[in-house]
Amino acid sequence: MPKVSIVLPSFNGARYIRESIESVINQTLSDWELIIVDDCSTDSTLQIAEEYAGREKRIHVIHNEENQKLPEALNIGFRHASGQYLTWTSDDNMYLSRALETMSQYLDSHKEVPMVCTGMLFMNEDMQYVKEFKTYNSSQMRVQDTVGACFMYRREVLAEVGEYSREFFCVEDYEYWMRILIKYDTIGYIPDIHYLYRRQKNSLTIEKAGRIRRMNSKLHCKYFDWCMAGIQDRPDFVMFLYNQLLADDCIDPARRKRFEEIIPELKGEKALDDRKKIVIFGAGQNGEKAYELLKGQAVAFADSNPLKSGGHKCGLPVWGPEELQNHFDGNRHQILISVRAELQLEIIHSLAKAGISQYAVFARIS
């Protein structure tokens, strides 16, 4: 039995898959098996995989006669895995040389931890540095995936948690991490960089951005009670989740009540009134997006930033807090809060000080 089993699913990944395979071969830990699952590719992915398998006995290839999509391709790979520890990687990404050794040693020495993840670097298509990803946060996992793409878990996890869900294609990994946290209440974290994540224009993440957002909302609805239980002391996370579900029309009466129990100020959130003009609170990028959609109703912007207040945005005046108090008429105007989710509660409080207790939220989560 190998120490580590790595599953590498691929659909038409010929462009970069050699680099991904080589990054496994070049690991300082040699006790591994690599299971490449070719998901009915139409390019040379299968030939490349078989070429490597022909000269490296630790590499095995499975060819799907029909495209199964990522969750089931992973399941097929792990059904053939025999390692003590399990992980998977993508055909356009690369491990750094000590990744498998470092993660397996961590699991060896932390018997109580079911899974570990590490930091990574985002790279562009030419493998040039874009930014660092070292942000794992157990509370934030209730609203957003912070595991990243470099991780390893025990074989027992597969037996206890089960397989990846085809229902959550595009967020199958995040859904799996949620199940691990629900079962074990912990994921280990190594902040050191051990992985290069290539961001390419035609990647699944970029192509499917809209679907990913909707599937995240579906995921958070499924595990809503668990998500909310872990963020009651983090109003910024609560507002983030509120925005996400609001954007996808997933706030039913029961969920709204739960949000209002944690943040009572949300009782002031109302639907926009077509008869009233809109004051967009937030003269930044989110405000611009709101203006593009509602420019016919917008009469002004408002912003608490003194560098913006008193100026103009999109041809409309930008009111500061005092101007807002002087000009806002509840019979003619309505407030649309258009700032990042983590800033919204601060804005709600500032509106309350100005005597404005009702508002609408422009739900953007990015």
Side-chain angles (χ1 to χ4, degrees):
M1 179 176 74
K3 184 83 169 181
V4 178
S5 292
I6 310 110
V7 173
L8 198 172
S10 183
F11 173 69
N12 289 344
R15 184 178 180 186
Y16 298 119
I17 195 170
R18 288 184 184 275
E19 295 175 51
S20 182
I21 296 171
E22 291 286 349
S23 79
V24 175
I25 293 173
N26 292 330
Q27 288 296 296
T28 54
L29 177 77
S30 60
D31 190 9
W32 52 259
E33 66 174 353
L34 174 63
I35 302 167
I36 303 172
V37 182
D38 170 57
D39 201 16
C40 198
S41 297
T42 56
D43 64 3
S44 58
T45 297
L46 179 60
Q47 292 92 322
I48 294 171
E50 289 179 336
E51 171 194 328
Y52 276 94
R55 61 175 189 253
E56 172 54 73
K57 64 180 181 180
R58 294 173 294 178
I59 298 177
H60 316 286
V61 179
I62 299 171
H63 172 62
N64 294 337
E65 294 292 340
E66 296 181 1
N67 182 264
Q68 300 294 322
K69 299 193 182 301
L70 181 57
E72 188 58 19
L74 289 171
N75 293 334
I76 290 168
F78 284 120
R79 288 169 200 156
H80 290 80
S82 57
Q84 177 185 356
Y85 299 140
L86 308 176
T87 187
W88 60 271
T89 188
S90 300
D91 56 23
D92 51 357
N93 299 334
M94 299 169 61
Y95 288 112
L96 297 184
S97 62
R98 296 191 66 248
L100 299 185
E101 178 184 7
T102 301
M103 289 189 289
S104 62
Q105 285 180 347
Y106 184 97
L107 292 176
D108 285 343
S109 59
H110 295 77
K111 302 297 185 183
E112 76 287 359
V113 175
M115 170 179 166
V116 64
C117 60
T118 85
M120 66 182 191
L121 298 180
F122 283 110
M123 314 296 284
N124 67 14
E125 290 191 64
D126 299 321
M127 274 294 164
Q128 296 171 325
Y129 172 82
V130 176
K131 66 178 181 178
E132 194 174 83
F133 182 96
K134 294 172 68 174
T135 58
Y136 179 75
N137 181 295
S138 58
S139 295
Q140 193 172 348
M141 280 293 291
R142 310 277 178 139
V143 299
Q144 192 176 38
D145 184 4
T146 62
V147 164
C150 190
F151 50 82
M152 185 178 289
Y153 50 93
R154 301 180 189 278
R155 185 170 196 82
E156 304 90 90
V157 169
L158 178 60
E160 292 287 337
V161 175
E163 296 189 326
Y164 289 85
S165 172
R166 301 184 72 164
E167 177 186 0
F168 288 100
F169 173 51
C170 289
V171 295
E172 60 285 311
D173 49 353
Y174 186 21
E175 194 270 343
Y176 203 75
W177 315 150
M178 277 193 177
R179 278 191 272 152
I180 289 174
L181 284 169
I182 290 169
K183 173 70 178 178
Y184 298 98
D185 196 36
T186 186
I187 289 176
Y189 177 51
I190 302 167
D192 300 331
I193 302 297
H194 288 287
Y195 198 80
L196 303 180
Y197 185 97
R198 192 192 312 258
R199 303 179 76 173
Q200 51 173 317
K201 295 176 183 178
N202 64 342
S203 70
L204 180 65
T205 303
I206 294 174
E207 282 188 353
K208 305 289 186 181
R211 177 182 172 87
I212 290 171
R213 194 202 73 235
R214 293 189 297 273
M215 293 303 291
N216 270 325
S217 292
K218 180 179 178 180
L219 177 58
H220 287 118
C221 286
K222 179 175 181 178
Y223 298 116
F224 182 76
D225 289 339
W226 175 80
C227 292
M228 293 294 282
I231 58 174
Q232 295 189 69
D233 61 343
R234 290 296 304 264
D236 53 342
F237 291 168
V238 174
M239 289 301 300
F240 183 94
L241 184 58
Y242 179 77
N243 273 257
Q244 183 185 73
L245 298 185
L246 187 65
D248 287 311
D249 197 25
C250 295
I251 305 287
D252 60 17
R255 294 190 187 109
R256 175 170 285 279
K257 181 179 179 181
R258 187 76 179 94
F259 280 116
E260 291 175 355
E261 287 173 353
I262 299 176
I263 302 181
E265 295 91 340
L266 283 174
K267 292 179 180 178
E269 202 272 321
K270 306 293 181 183
L272 288 174
D273 186 337
D274 292 339
R275 299 167 296 177
K276 294 182 179 181
K277 292 295 184 179
I278 296 171
V279 177
I280 301 172
F281 202 114
Q285 291 183 350
N286 281 16
E288 286 185 21
K289 292 292 184 182
Y291 175 79
E292 290 173 8
L293 295 172
L294 301 162
K295 64 179 76 174
Q297 266 186 282
V299 67
F301 286 87
D303 205 290
S304 54
N305 185 341
L307 297 178
K308 295 180 180 179
S309 60
H312 286 78
K313 181 82 172 181
C314 301
L316 299 179
V318 180
W319 296 342
E322 290 186 9
E323 291 174 295
L324 181 63
Q325 281 186 294
N326 293 335
H327 294 299
F328 185 82
D329 180 351
N331 294 317
R332 296 185 299 117
H333 299 145
Q334 57 192 326
I335 293 287
L336 177 63
I337 298 175
S338 302
V339 297
R340 298 193 308 274
E342 63 269 23
L343 300 177
Q344 288 174 3
L345 193 56
E346 177 185 337
I347 301 304
I348 292 169
H349 288 157
S350 69
L351 290 173
K353 290 181 181 179
I356 302 170
S357 59
Q358 293 189 358
Y359 54 86
V361 172
F362 179 58
R364 291 187 75 235
I365 60 172
S366 60

